[in-house]
Amino acid sequence: MLRKSLAAVVALLLVSVLSFGAVRIGITQIVDHPALNAVFDGIVKALEDAGFKIGTDVLIDRQNAQGSVQNAAAIARKFASEKVDIVVAITTPSAQACVQVITDRPVVFSAVTDPVGAGLIKQMGRNDSNVVGVSDMVPVSTHLRLIKTVFPNAKRVGVLYNPGEANSVTLTNMAKAAAPSLGLTIVDMTGTNASEMVAAVNSVGPDVDVIYIGTDNTAAASMQAIGAAALRLKKPIVAADIDIARQGGLIGFGFDYFQVGVETGKLVVEILKGKKPSELESHLIGPESLLLFINLDLMKELNVSIPQEIINRANIVVENGQEVKR
Amino acid sequence: MIAILEQGLLLALAAMGVYISFRVVDLPDLTPDGSYIVGAAVVAALLRSGHGWVSSVFLAALAASAAGFITALISTRFKIHTLLASIMVMTGLYSVAIRIMNSPNLPIPRFSTEKVLSYEQIVGKTPLDDILGGSGSFQYEKEGVRAAIVPFNNRADGHDLFIIAMFVVVIGFLLWLFLRTELGTMLRGYGRNRFAVKVLGVNPNFFALMGLTVANFLVGLSGALFSMYSGFADVNMGAGMVVVCLASVILGEIIFGSREFAYGLLFPVVGAVVYQILLSLAMKYGYRIGFRPSDMKLLTAMFVVSVIAARRFKKSEVTV
């Protein structure tokens, strides 16, 4: 017993000696969620690609608020009071909590749809503060034009989202602003959990021509059931997120959350190399990271025809049950 | 450590509310999961429209107390158990909070922000533009906001702690004074024995209304202060409030080992601070013993149940 605890003490000392001089990065996210975990993986990848060794050069303190805003605030205060050199905050509430209390160290936000509206930064681009980051806003108007091109007869587009998610509400408002000029009408389809989402598809679904899903976390989590319900109604789903599209969508035009993480990680690397957040730009994920996904099997099943020109552009297609990357 | 105390004392205000509903008037009430958000939502909306923080906080707590009043009204009028009535009110408040904020998440801005634009307005073009024809530009603008003035400076210099502690001390003292008055004594009497109060010729429903109103006032106050303290209100803020507060109250009772009234109001305060300390210890060291973030809720639930069970073995008299 004594020997064991002695060994533990020695190991602890060794770790603290080894970690001397290393940079500490605190990473916080609101909840355990595949897309958000992919962001984390992307950040680590970007750090490793830049030559930083995790565990020796860079120590990562990863925290998760378990869905509680109170915990997110507690984590932010913990980072503020500890020797964390850079804070990375994934998702809106986690970022809001960190930005509020950490003013003397860089805060890098990620996967925040509307960082200006969320009060994180004054404007997109360069800001005179300690906060910089990556927004996962998607091109909503492009999605609607894609819908218009593939389904020229479509009039009513049902937007499926959780009214409790700030990101989804922002995207839906944008869709409502963009729709009239394309001759489309936006119909709200809302649910705050999986069963309400399926109920929304079943009740409102028959009245719409196409179902559009943004970067909604609730929809993402219940996509299997939503996809099945939409298929029964023979309604195509167009998604702004590749992972959502993979699980029952006909078309997806968006980015991998892993890529969001990589972009975020690049900002962290710049800061590690000595840049200040005020010298960097808060930006959206660039158009070069936008991927087009088309499920050709589902296309046949729904009996729709997608212009060959668009199919040719797809980065990922599903054909005969196989996902093919092009 | 200062931050833990601050959060503990913020929680203490809500825990005092839960203490009043569960312990003083003995009406199990889940409204706090909703009234906490109402407090946060009202304060965020008022501050953004340029109101002073003192009046905003007071109005926010008042709005939350209305939620408690409605729960009690439903419960007494339609003879529904408060638990069920409060679940209904709590569920409805989710929508009400989004209405108040006109959004699920509302920051309390520390600085003025500029307009929000769409992807196409910022980036310009997307890879599909040549196929889809034309550009994606359309008018989307969400107005920026002006900075709001809040008392918290968000530095670990004890300034925030002082403000929060003042709230806890003043509210705690007022509550203690109130519970000692004739009305307060009758309120406590109602919690002990509903029928005894009836004998005194007072309608017992009055005490149910008063108890839940006061309880949710405190919860709303806690929500409003927390939202100013953390810089934003979010519609998912209130989830699990009751359980956390109940855990705090029970922790306080274990620490004091007695349930005499004189200490009564200290239970939730001390319990909330200790709860917050345990939480941060679990966050800091938990992973070393194979603890996962998602295990936290299970631990809280197991903790509350095991404490109640332990007391069941000790004494026969248990009232949870």
Side-chain angles (χ1 to χ4, degrees):
Chain A
M1 188 65 203
L2 188 69
R3 196 185 288 176
K4 244 187 191 170
S5 47
L6 208 67
V9 168
V10 169
L12 214 70
L13 277 175
L14 213 64
V15 167
S16 45
V17 168
L18 279 176
S19 62
F20 183 76
V23 180
R24 288 170 187 273
I25 302 181
I27 302 185
T28 167
Q29 71 189 57
I30 194 73
V31 71
D32 228 4
H33 180 294
L36 302 181
N37 294 342
V39 174
F40 177 84
D41 296 340
I43 294 170
V44 172
K45 175 77 165 39
L47 287 172
E48 285 172 344
D49 284 353
F52 292 97
K53 285 207 179 68
I54 308 295
T56 50
D57 302 337
V58 173
L59 298 177
I60 293 180
D61 182 1
R62 188 184 187 182
Q63 296 286 335
N64 182 316
Q66 308 127 42
S68 150
V69 175
Q70 278 75 20
N71 288 353
I75 292 166
R77 301 261 163 177
K78 170 182 135 70
F79 285 160
S81 64
E82 284 175 7
K83 285 180 195 140
V84 176
D85 300 304
I86 301 174
V87 173
V88 180
I90 304 168
T91 64
T92 304
S94 289
Q96 284 171 322
C98 286
V99 165
Q100 183 74 4
V101 294
I102 299 163
T103 49
D104 56 346
R105 276 158 283 170
V107 176
V108 181
F109 63 81
S110 186
V112 176
T113 298
D114 179 6
V116 177
L120 302 179
I121 48 174
K122 198 167 163 23
Q123 61 190 15
M124 291 306 286
R126 205 169 281 191
N127 278 286
D128 191 22
S129 72
N130 63 321
V131 184
V132 70
V134 174
S135 157
D136 64 348
M137 193 194 280
V138 290
V140 177
S141 141
T142 305
H143 289 134
L144 294 184
R145 286 187 299 138
L146 185 61
I147 289 172
K148 196 71 194 167
T149 308
V150 177
F151 309 98
N153 298 325
K155 289 267 180 295
R156 294 163 66 83
V157 176
V159 182
L160 184 66
Y161 68 102
N162 179 351
E165 287 187 31
N167 47 329
S168 301
V169 173
T170 300
L171 293 182
T172 308
N173 287 338
M174 285 180 179
K176 283 176 181 167
S181 64
L182 296 165
L184 295 172
T185 309
I186 298 296
V187 180
D188 289 292
M189 300 169 74
T190 59
T192 58
N193 57 40
S195 62
E196 284 179 26
M197 287 246 158
V198 173
V201 172
N202 287 330
S203 60
V204 188
D207 299 335
V208 302
D209 302 308
V210 182
I211 296 171
Y212 172 58
I213 303 177
T215 51
D216 191 275
N217 292 313
T218 313
S222 27
M223 204 39 216
Q224 295 287 357
I226 292 167
L231 187 59
R232 274 196 296 276
L233 297 170
K234 296 274 177 201
K235 300 293 177 188
I237 293 176
V238 175
D241 179 306
I242 295 295
D243 286 318
I244 290 181
R246 278 195 173 113
Q247 299 173 60
L250 173 67
I251 301 176
F253 185 55
F255 30 71
D256 254 328
Y257 271 82
F258 184 77
Q259 197 59 34
V260 177
V262 171
E263 294 270 336
T264 312
K266 284 180 187 163
L267 287 177
V268 177
V269 167
E270 290 290 326
I271 294 169
L272 286 173
K273 287 182 175 165
K275 281 236 170 94
K276 285 185 188 145
S278 55
E279 295 168 326
L280 299 167
E281 286 193 357
S282 293
H283 60 273
L284 307 178
I285 293 292
E288 68 283 353
S289 300
L290 286 167
L291 302 176
L292 181 63
F293 167 98
I294 299 176
N295 188 329
L296 297 174
D297 295 346
L298 201 56
M299 181 181 83
K300 285 174 195 136
E301 209 168 333
L302 290 169
N303 200 17
V304 292
S305 60
I306 297 174
Q308 192 59 38
E309 204 182 4
I310 293 178
I311 295 176
N312 290 344
R313 280 296 179 86
N315 306 86
I316 308 161
V317 291
V318 174
E319 201 163 16
N320 304 324
Q322 294 277 323
E323 186 169 311
V324 188
K325 280 201 174 118
R326 292 189 181 168
Chain B
M1 189 61 206
I2 287 179
I4 297 171
L5 271 179
E6 287 167 356
Q7 288 213 298
L9 289 177
L10 279 171
L11 180 63
L13 286 167
M16 274 199 256
V18 168
Y19 174 78
I20 289 191
S21 52
F22 273 78
R23 288 289 189 247
V24 176
V25 293
D26 193 18
L27 291 171
D29 175 26
L30 299 183
T31 320
D33 274 22
S35 57
Y36 189 82
I37 320 170
V38 168
V42 170
V43 90
L46 287 178
L47 283 172
R48 281 170 72 105
S49 63
H51 286 74
W53 73 270
V54 179
S55 58
S56 300
V57 167
F58 181 72
L59 288 172
L62 216 57
S65 71
F69 183 82
I70 293 169
T71 297
L73 202 65
I74 294 173
S75 167
T76 52
R77 273 292 149 87
F78 307 128
K79 299 207 170 11
I80 303 174
H81 195 283
T82 49
L83 214 50
L84 193 59
S86 65
I87 289 172
M88 297 308 148
V89 173
M90 172 193 91
T91 307
L93 288 180
Y94 184 88
S95 307
V96 173
I98 294 181
R99 279 274 178 178
I100 295 170
M101 298 191 281
N102 199 18
S103 156
N105 174 301
L106 203 59
I108 296 173
R110 287 178 306 147
F111 45 78
S112 306
T113 56
E114 298 185 355
K115 286 184 174 121
V116 177
L117 302 171
S118 73
Y119 188 96
E120 290 84 350
Q121 281 163 310
I122 299 169
V123 175
K125 60 178 185 342
T126 58
L128 294 182
D129 274 355
D130 55 327
I131 303 178
L132 303 179
S135 75
S137 66
F138 64 103
Q139 288 306 307
Y140 175 82
E141 280 181 3
K142 194 167 90 185
E143 272 305 311
V145 287
R146 276 179 304 134
I149 297 156
V150 291
F152 298 113
N153 67 359
N154 296 304
R155 282 194 293 273
D157 55 2
H159 176 267
D160 295 0
L161 183 62
F162 177 74
I163 296 170
I164 298 166
M166 280 308 288
F167 265 98
V168 174
V169 169
V170 169
I171 294 288
F173 182 66
L174 288 177
L175 215 55
W176 180 71
L177 282 183
F178 165 70
L179 288 175
R180 275 165 45 112
T181 59
E182 197 180 334
L183 198 64
T185 312
M186 282 163 89
L187 188 72
R188 285 187 284 137
Y190 168 81
R192 292 270 167 92
N193 187 338
R194 251 140 250 204
F195 305 100
V197 178
K198 212 170 180 177
V199 175
L200 294 172
V202 188
N203 183 355
N205 289 348
F206 173 74
F207 294 106
L209 286 165
M210 188 164 71
L212 294 195
T213 306
V214 172
N216 284 286
F217 183 90
L218 294 169
V219 174
L221 184 65
S222 170
L225 288 176
F226 179 80
S227 136
M228 288 204 300
Y229 173 83
S230 59
F232 66 104
D234 192 288
V235 74
N236 303 309
M237 261 183 177
M241 254 346 260
V242 174
V243 176
V244 170
C245 288
L246 200 58
S248 301
V249 170
I250 291 172
L251 252 179
E253 286 174 357
I254 300 171
I255 292 165
F256 285 92
S258 130
R259 285 181 49 198
E260 286 306 307
F261 162 65
Y263 300 116
L265 287 170
L266 280 177
F267 297 165
V269 178
V270 174
V273 172
V274 173
Y275 178 86
Q276 206 64 44
I277 292 171
L278 291 179
L279 181 78
S280 49
L281 285 179
M283 270 186 191
K284 202 166 176 178
Y285 301 109
Y287 68 93
R288 291 195 188 156
I289 50 169
F291 185 77
R292 283 213 215 151
S294 53
D295 298 337
M296 206 65 195
K297 292 201 173 180
L298 177 64
L299 278 189
T300 309
M302 276 173 17
F303 169 75
V304 173
V305 171
S306 57
V307 166
I308 295 166
R311 287 216 307 223
R312 167 78 72 179
F313 279 116
K314 223 162 126 193
K315 307 183 233 175
S316 55
E317 176 238 353
V318 164
T319 46
V320 172

